[in-house]
Amino acid sequence: MRSNNMVAMILAGGRGTRLFDLTKKVAKPAVHFGGKYRIIDFPLSNCANSDVSTVGVLTQYESILLNAYVARDQNWGLDVKNGGVYVLTPREKDQADFEAFQGTADAITQNIDFLDSLDPEYVLILSGDHIYKMNYANMLGYHKVRNADATIAVLEVPLREASRFGIMNTNRNDRIVEFEEKPAKPKSNLASMGIYIFSYKLLRKYLVADAKNPNSSHDFGKDIIPMYLKDHKKLYAYRFRGYWKDVGTVDSLWEANMDLLKENSELDLGDPEWKIYTEDANALPQFIGKEANIDNCYITQGSVILGRVKNSVLGTNCRVEQGAKVYDSVIMPGVKVGEGAVVNRCIVADGVEIPPGAKVGDKNSEHITLVAE
């Protein structure tokens, strides 16, 4: 199914404060994942694999690296004649100074002229900070069959955890009848994934109306979706069955990396039928020393392993010296672990050097230790 009548808009402008120093200098979607990838590779690859060839990436905070990265649309096979990846930043308006995006809906509203120039029939709204593989063409087919005004992807979560999410309550045909933001007593377990397909002409009317409301927070979950429901528009839940994780915290980012190491992992990055594309790093092949000891690891090109590494993910151009031990950890690109050092249950940020003999992290801790400069 061709999806050229649908434009994707990836919201990639969040501060990512819960990732602390990992997002001190780079936007959250640009944070490394799985050794060689960045988080935003996932929605961009999903678009490429779903035949969605026109993608707008809306950036904001610490966006220089991210802007330069996503502008290389050939990385994902999106450098096509009638498409491509467009970097969309907050606008400076004639009547005002530079104005940051005020909310997820405002980010789209500020780019209505971009969408108008493309004249899409449908708009796909995505987040730039989730790890998952999803066929958006199938979701669009569902949207069309239901003749929906809006379709929202949902994930079934344990009912005891549902209060942490925006919850969609539906009738027996999966038409959404109520939306509750993090309800204390959830009525269902259908959690919004922050993935929406809207029929554009109608969405445009609601965005324009929302922009004129001084009391609005200009957010899809808090404002636009409730307006649709109030006006009895046709909203449907699209049930997604597969791996999905919001990697907005240090612990969740670590967990998603560790999921790669599980036997028969749901997040199979080696699946030839649904590739995750990324920048091809210019690095030498990995080198494993004769005294190295490696068990259940992802090790990216350019890495030199002379010590002990177990149940860990190592990024590009890492070095683990003789006598060093790395357990249950995520090592970002360019990290050096000194001779005799021990790293346990950590995320080590890009370029950090662990001194010889140092001990970081705690194998008995409930939470993951972030090691950054």
Side-chain angles (χ1 to χ4, degrees), residues 39-277:
I39 296 171
I40 200 166
D41 287 335
F42 288 82
L44 285 171
S45 296
N46 287 339
C47 286
N49 291 326
S50 301
D51 220 1
V52 180
S53 58
T54 303
V55 183
V57 180
L58 287 69
T59 65
Q60 186 163 267
Y61 302 108
E62 295 294 346
S63 60
I64 294 175
L65 186 152
L66 180 61
N67 290 351
Y69 183 70
V70 301
R72 296 192 287 271
D73 48 12
Q74 68 275 12
N75 288 346
W76 305 276
L78 292 169
D79 53 336
V80 295
K81 182 177 180 180
N82 295 314
V85 179
Y86 297 81
V87 178
L88 305 171
T89 59
R91 311 287 284 275
E92 184 174 352
K93 302 176 182 178
D94 290 339
Q95 70 274 24
D97 294 329
F98 172 87
E99 183 178 354
F101 297 140
Q102 300 301 304
T104 54
D106 178 62
I108 304 300
T109 302
Q110 285 198 38
N111 289 284
I112 276 183
D113 55 349
F114 168 76
L115 288 168
D116 286 347
S117 71
L118 299 169
D119 192 28
E121 190 171 354
Y122 307 101
V123 175
L124 170 67
I125 310 294
L126 306 170
S127 171
D129 52 10
H130 297 155
I131 301 295
Y132 66 109
K133 296 192 290 186
M134 182 177 184
N135 192 327
Y136 304 134
N138 290 345
M139 183 175 172
L140 177 60
Y142 177 89
H143 179 87
K144 291 178 177 180
V145 167
R146 297 291 179 134
N147 193 27
D149 296 312
T151 298
I152 300 171
V154 297
L155 189 71
E156 295 182 20
V157 299
L159 192 60
R160 65 181 180 278
E161 298 178 12
S163 60
R164 298 193 294 112
F165 299 90
I167 296 297
M168 300 293 168
N169 298 321
T170 66
N171 64 18
R172 62 182 181 181
N173 296 318
D174 276 343
R175 180 165 176 171
I176 298 169
V177 296
E178 184 182 23
F179 170 70
E180 296 181 287
E181 181 65 33
K182 298 181 180 179
K185 296 181 179 180
K187 301 174 185 175
S188 82
N189 67 337
L190 298 181
S192 171
M193 299 169 64
I195 299 171
Y196 315 107
I197 291 179
F198 290 95
S199 297
Y200 178 58
K201 289 183 179 179
L202 181 62
L203 174 64
R204 192 186 192 285
K205 293 178 182 179
Y206 276 86
L207 290 174
V208 170
D210 176 73
K212 297 176 181 177
N213 181 0
N215 298 317
S216 175
S217 56
H218 310 298
D219 183 83
F220 278 104
K222 296 177 182 176
D223 304 288
I224 301 299
I225 292 172
M227 289 168 63
Y228 269 62
L229 289 172
K230 181 181 177 182
D231 292 345
H232 304 289
K233 299 302 179 183
K234 290 180 286 185
L235 276 73
Y236 282 90
Y238 177 76
R239 294 176 185 252
F240 174 70
R241 292 176 174 86
Y243 184 94
W244 178 88
K245 188 176 283 288
D246 182 345
V247 288
T249 67
V250 170
D251 285 358
S252 63
L253 180 60
W254 178 88
E255 288 169 2
N257 275 276
M258 292 299 105
D259 287 342
L260 294 171
L261 304 176
K262 293 179 179 178
E263 189 174 359
N264 300 319
S265 171
E266 287 186 277
L267 186 62
D268 180 10
L269 299 185
D271 182 1
E273 300 298 320
W274 201 269
K275 293 183 179 179
I276 301 300
Y277 302 96

Side-chain angles (χ1 to χ4, degrees), residues 250-251 254-255 258 310-312 325-331 342-348 360-371:
V250 170
D251 285 358
W254 178 88
E255 288 169 2
M258 292 299 105
K310 181 177 181 181
N311 202 47
S312 296
K325 299 175 182 178
V326 176
Y327 301 121
D328 304 308
S329 293
V330 178
I331 309 299
V342 179
V343 179
N344 231 314
R345 285 177 61 83
C346 290
I347 292 181
V348 183
V360 294
D362 182 353
K363 66 179 181 180
N364 298 314
S365 174
E366 181 181 353
H367 296 290
I368 301 306
T369 300
L370 172 62
V371 182

